[in-house]
Amino acid sequence: MAAEPLLGNTLGTHLSTAGEWLLSSGLRIVLVAAIMYVALRAARIVALRLFTLFADKDDIEMKKRADTLSSVVRVGLTIAIMAVGLVSILGELGVQIGPVLAAAGVVGLAVGFGAQQLVQDVISGFFILLEDQIRVGDVVEIAGKSGLVERVTLRTVVLRDMTGSVHYVRNGQIDTVTNMTKDFSYYAMDIGVGYREDVDQVMEVIREVAAELCADPELGTDILEPIEIMGLDKFADSAVIIKARLKTKPIRQWAVGREFNRRLKKRFDAEGIEIPYPHLTMYMGQDRQGNAPSLHMKIEKDVEKA
């Protein structure tokens, strides 16, 4: 009979201890979890709005940089909040934080030696963001891949090319960045016409077509300056090449260039200006007296049998 009160006292002691823990450490753990949830939501909102407040809505370049930095800041704040919250919860569970942090430092040092590529990626990504080399929405060529930048982190840059394929490029692999849409863009043209054409007349036609395009209500706003014609650039095998370029808003050079080419082709056709294609001239040679050997040709026709 004495064992029953003893068992009841032990159960009561455990329930009392559990109740005290729930009212003290348990409530603190719930409070920490609630603060983590609120902090994560707040970090997301702050990261989204912090840079957009300083970005002009009409400035596309500033908006792209704001989107890039906000995504990086959001990830950084999320990691920091989760780390602090987990350490606080472990402390409430009775885990000694000092030895855990010391062990984490040793493990981190060992991982650092074994993950040199990761460290290189993070350092390279930091300088890419610091120097504003790549932003979300840019069209770039890096590490032999080109495409539209969809995401930039401290470790990777995510590109999507014209075919829809997605490329994940480690920042440590990026030695050279070719940004085709930073601040403004150029659509460069090598316009070939026949040797018989009047070059001055051709350049005047090009100016007129470019002026008409600048007055277009849809694409005219994408053109920043009148067309720049450098002049006759070179003598090719079957054409003379006139070099020119159009300055446009970022990433709009291809749409403007395609429409310019369409209009120029129609105008050349209307003006009778030749757009040549490669020609082949056969030279049979001459002897010392200036006589050329005869060229024997045989033409065969296929006759269908009845």
Side-chain angles (χ1 to χ4, degrees):
M1 298 295 295
E4 293 182 359
L6 180 61
L7 181 61
N9 292 335
T10 303
L11 180 61
T13 301
H14 288 309
L15 290 175
S16 176
T17 303
E20 292 178 359
W21 184 89
L22 288 174
L23 291 175
S24 56
S25 297
L27 285 178
R28 283 195 289 270
I29 291 175
V30 172
L31 181 61
V32 169
I35 293 175
M36 285 177 60
Y37 175 78
V38 173
L40 289 173
R41 296 295 299 270
R44 179 179 179 83
I45 296 173
V46 168
L48 289 175
R49 296 185 179 180
L50 176 62
F51 296 100
T52 55
L53 293 175
F54 302 98
D56 187 357
K57 294 182 179 180
D58 297 329
D59 190 346
I60 299 177
E61 294 302 301
M62 191 62 188
K63 185 177 183 302
K64 289 195 296 186
R65 187 175 189 186
D67 293 340
T68 303
L69 293 177
S70 65
S71 63
V72 175
V73 170
R74 183 171 66 251
V75 172
L77 289 176
T78 300
I79 294 175
I81 292 170
M82 292 292 293
V84 173
L86 290 176
V87 169
S88 301
I89 291 175
L90 288 175
E92 294 298 331
L93 292 174
V95 178
Q96 295 295 327
I97 305 300
V100 172
L101 294 178
V106 175
V107 173
L109 184 61
V111 171
F113 282 111
Q116 296 182 13
Q117 286 188 345
L118 178 61
V119 175
Q120 182 183 7
D121 293 342
V122 172
I123 294 175
S124 298
F126 173 77
F127 282 104
I128 287 174
L129 293 172
L130 180 66
E131 297 173 359
D132 192 25
Q133 298 177 12
I134 301 174
R135 293 165 292 188
V136 173
D138 285 342
V139 177
V140 301
E141 181 178 348
I142 53 176
K145 302 295 181 180
S146 61
L148 180 71
V149 179
E150 291 193 341
R151 188 167 69 252
V152 180
T153 67
L154 287 175
R155 196 179 70 85
T156 60
V157 175
V158 181
L159 304 178
R160 186 180 296 273
D161 63 19
M162 280 289 293
T163 64
S165 302
V166 178
H167 305 283
Y168 296 85
V169 182
R170 293 193 300 105
N171 292 332
Q173 293 179 318
I174 301 175
D175 295 325
T176 303
V177 176
T178 302
N179 193 327
M180 292 172 272
T181 57
K182 187 175 178 63
D183 298 332
F184 60 86
S185 299
Y186 277 112
Y187 183 76
M189 297 165 280
D190 290 332
I191 304 170
V193 296
Y195 273 87
R196 71 179 185 183
E197 304 299 338
D198 184 347
V199 176
D200 294 335
Q201 178 194 0
V202 173
M203 289 192 290
E204 184 60 30
V205 170
I206 294 172
R207 288 192 184 92
E208 292 175 1
V209 173
E212 293 173 1
L213 186 58
C214 289
D216 185 85
E218 295 184 2
L219 294 176
T221 56
D222 294 328
I223 302 175
L224 301 179
E225 294 179 0
I227 190 169
E228 182 182 359
I229 300 179
M230 288 75 169
L232 180 58
D233 186 59
K234 60 184 176 181
F235 298 96
D237 292 338
S238 59
V240 291
I241 307 299
I242 298 173
K243 185 175 288 292
R245 66 181 183 179
L246 276 168
K247 186 177 182 180
T248 70
K249 292 180 179 179
I251 214 173
R252 296 298 298 165
Q253 68 268 36
W254 296 291
V256 170
R258 285 190 289 267
E259 178 61 18
F260 177 83
N261 290 336
R262 186 187 71 85
R263 297 190 181 202
L264 187 64
K265 172 63 168 60
K266 295 183 67 175
R267 183 64 180 275
F268 277 3
D269 291 343
E271 297 286 340
I273 298 175
E274 179 190 7
I275 302 177
Y277 53 88
H279 293 75
L280 178 63
T281 301
M282 296 184 65
Y283 176 65
M284 303 306 298
Q286 293 180 345
D287 57 19
R288 293 181 180 273
Q289 287 72 36
N291 299 318
S294 58
L295 176 64
H296 299 280
M297 299 182 65
K298 182 178 180 182
I299 300 176
E300 296 181 356
K301 296 183 178 179
D302 294 332
V303 179
E304 296 184 357
K305 297 182 179 179

